[in-house]
Amino acid sequence: MELRQLKVFLEVAKHKSMTRAAESMHISQPALSKSIMALEEELGMKLIIRTNKTSDVTDAGKVVLEYAQKMNALLDEMNSTLNDMTNLNRGEVNIGLPPIIGGLFFPKIMAKFHRAYPNVQLNITEYGGARVVKSVEEGEFELGVAVMPIDEQEFHVYPIVEEEMKLLVNAEHRLAGRHVVDLKDLKDEEFIFYHEEFALNKIMRNHFIEAGFEPKILFKSSQWDLMTEMVAANLGVTILPASICNRAASPDIKMISLKQDIMWSLAVITKKNRYLSNAGRTFLEFILKASL
């Protein structure tokens, strides 16, 4: 078994497609298929179910995937340790950011960091908050930005932002004249909501359940600008962090406070008992010193 074969398998599992995995690794699809088949033959088990449209992982493949991720994380850790010896003359940091967060606070920080450390590459991947947490745990990212609460037994947690959640409604909506709205008053509303992989999905659903109802979800999105545009078009209502609501200011939208004290708290997280590269530590300090 070769590490190259495991990396190929990881890419196929990630993309669920032989074609996209081959493109990602810049190799031919026949070469990629040959590598997967050699790995399956050596292990004596089918790892990938191939169809015309997708390549899904079998139960045996899920076991191999778990160990391959651990081995890949260890290799990344080794490379990070070696890169530390260059005193940031080169290096890279793998970071996970939810799409709803990245555009708000991080471009200026990343620009300043790049000017200070031009040879350190920042690899940004956008995932939903829940997936960011899982990916930091599995070693895909050194650093992740996620919505609190976070399991502090598993992660080092560094709070960076806290702000109120606000209700957005169309200017012609029945609640548009209100300054404060109780969640109970939203029982019959149709919501523009967040995808399941976003931490806000679970957080807000729990608040609605506490208020005595399940939200009626008209549409799910990972893009706050699309969510606010749908409110402006009077297709439904949404609840978003105050900073996003302020960016969505429009004559067609009304921002309203919630009676319930619902906070949006962000933190940078790192996995406990995992080596954090010098570049990763430096970028973390950069974030914590910045005024977000």
Side-chain angles (χ1 to χ4, degrees):
M1 184 186 305
E2 300 177 0
L3 289 172
R4 174 72 173 175
Q5 290 174 317
L6 292 177
K7 286 184 176 290
V8 168
F9 174 70
L10 281 170
E11 281 298 305
V12 174
K14 176 182 177 180
H15 293 283
K16 293 187 176 182
S17 166
M18 294 281 194
T19 302
R20 288 199 294 272
E23 291 172 352
S24 174
M25 300 190 76
H26 304 291
I27 61 176
S28 69
Q29 189 170 334
L32 181 141
S33 297
K34 184 177 179 180
S35 178
I36 292 292
M37 289 184 344
L39 181 60
E40 290 176 327
E41 184 176 345
E42 182 174 349
L43 295 175
M45 291 185 175
K46 199 78 170 172
L47 304 180
I48 299 288
I49 301 171
R50 302 162 180 82
T51 66
N52 290 334
K53 293 185 178 180
T54 63
S55 298
D56 294 319
V57 178
T58 65
D59 289 342
K62 290 176 182 177
V63 174
V64 175
L65 178 63
E66 180 181 350
Y67 282 96
Q69 287 170 333
K70 291 177 182 177
M71 293 170 69
N72 200 48
L74 285 172
L75 285 172
D76 287 344
E77 187 173 318
M78 179 187 73
N79 289 327
S80 294
T81 305
L82 294 173
N83 284 339
D84 273 353
M85 297 173 67
T86 64
N87 295 318
L88 290 184
N89 287 329
R90 67 185 181 92
E92 62 179 352
V93 187
N94 294 313
I95 311 152
L97 287 178
I100 208 168
I101 294 171
L104 288 175
F105 307 113
F106 282 87
K108 290 183 180 179
I109 293 175
M110 289 185 283
K112 289 180 181 178
F113 185 83
H114 179 66
R115 287 193 291 270
Y117 303 97
N119 296 316
V120 177
Q121 182 175 335
L122 298 178
N123 300 320
I124 310 295
T125 303
E126 288 188 323
Y127 286 159
R131 188 173 174 188
V132 167
V133 173
K134 183 174 176 60
S135 295
V136 172
E137 182 179 14
E138 292 175 346
E140 182 179 355
F141 305 136
E142 275 194 280
L143 305 174
V145 177
V147 180
M148 299 280 277
I150 300 294
D151 184 359
E152 298 193 29
Q153 291 186 335
E154 293 290 331
F155 302 96
H156 294 294
V157 179
Y158 306 92
I160 54 173
V161 172
E162 183 174 71
E163 58 185 52
E164 292 181 41
M165 298 290 289
K166 300 283 189 177
L167 172 68
L168 291 183
V169 302
N170 184 271
E172 302 298 322
H173 192 275
R174 64 182 180 87
L175 297 173
R178 302 267 291 271
H179 295 291
V180 179
V181 168
D182 192 308
L183 285 183
K184 293 178 181 178
D185 296 335
L186 304 177
K187 181 178 180 180
D188 297 322
E189 296 297 329
E190 291 184 318
F191 282 88
I192 313 301
F193 218 59
Y194 339 89
H195 280 302
E196 286 82 355
E197 68 176 28
F198 287 80
L200 277 175
N201 181 291
K202 183 176 180 181
I203 291 169
M204 288 309 306
R205 284 181 73 96
N206 287 341
H207 280 291
F208 288 131
I209 290 169
E210 287 177 9
F213 67 96
E214 278 275 358
K216 298 176 182 177
I217 299 173
L218 176 68
F219 182 80
K220 295 178 184 177
S221 176
S222 61
Q223 304 298 326
W224 65 264
D225 51 349
L226 176 59
M227 297 172 74
T228 56
E229 285 169 9
M230 294 186 76
V231 173
N234 206 14
L235 290 173
V237 304
T238 194
I239 295 176
L240 289 167
S243 57
I244 294 177
C245 294
N246 289 330
R247 287 196 175 197
S250 160
D252 297 321
I253 296 176
K254 178 69 186 294
M255 180 171 69
I256 306 172
S257 295
L258 294 169
K259 182 177 180 180
Q260 288 79 359
D261 187 20
I262 304 175
M263 303 302 295
W264 188 58
S265 302
L266 301 181
V268 179
I269 62 171
T270 63
K271 182 76 167 69
K272 284 186 175 180
N273 301 319
R274 183 178 188 266
Y275 177 80
L276 188 62
S277 70
N278 190 25
R281 289 194 301 272
T282 303
F283 187 58
L284 174 60
E285 291 168 4
F286 224 83
I287 295 172
L288 298 179
K289 288 178 182 177
S291 297
L292 296 183

